Amino acid sequence: MPKGILWAVLQEPIAVPPIFQEGSPHHITLFYDVEKSQYQKLLGTEFEADAIANLYNKDIQAIAVLMPSYIPHKPNPHITVSYREGIQPVASNDLLQNDSDRVIAPFTQKLKL
């Protein structure tokens, strides 16, 4: 059976200006490489989450998200907001985990997903 990516899709735009030219913030990746049947009960579920910080470095920008406890997700949920040309959006995972040169700026928004 083919595997895919489980996203939580934004229903309203994120209210933080992008720092870089590339990027189109529209989802939180909940899991990679999953079978649709594993998460069938979540498909179409609407929920709210909280944006809690705007993180960025010289290459990429992301919003850290606090997810509701009943929505399963991988560690460090976030929305990639923008990135420099030549940078892959997946670099936001490193930004959240172990970037000593990052800036963490206050930012809050209730997100509808």
Side-chain angles (χ1 to χ4, degrees):
M1 178 167 278
K3 294 190 175 188
I5 301 171
L6 183 63
W7 283 350
V9 179
L10 285 168
Q11 300 300 309
E12 298 174 352
I14 193 127
V16 66
I19 295 172
F20 306 99
Q21 288 184 317
E22 302 294 321
S24 177
H26 68 283
H27 73 276
I28 299 169
T29 300
L30 302 177
F31 293 107
Y32 286 106
D33 200 32
V34 296
E35 291 185 20
K36 185 177 177 179
S37 62
Q38 290 179 279
Y39 295 97
Q40 193 68 39
K41 68 179 190 281
L42 286 179
L43 299 181
T45 300
E46 293 184 13
F47 63 93
E48 289 187 345
D50 293 304
I52 57 173
N54 180 20
L55 295 88
Y56 56 92
N57 62 18
K58 65 181 178 53
D59 294 324
I60 196 159
Q61 173 190 18
I63 298 298
V65 177
L66 182 61
M67 298 288 286
S69 60
Y70 63 92
I71 300 293
H73 56 84
K74 63 186 185 71
N76 302 309
H78 63 280
I79 300 166
T80 302
V81 176
S82 67
Y83 43 92
R84 197 170 49 77
E85 186 175 341
I87 300 299
Q88 295 297 315
V90 71
S92 60
N93 290 310
D94 291 336
L95 176 69
L96 271 83
Q97 294 176 16
N98 53 16
D99 188 328
S100 60
D101 294 327
R102 70 182 173 203
V103 173
I104 302 174
F107 175 75
T108 58
Q109 180 182 344
K110 187 67 75 176
L111 305 172
K112 293 183 182 189
L113 299 137

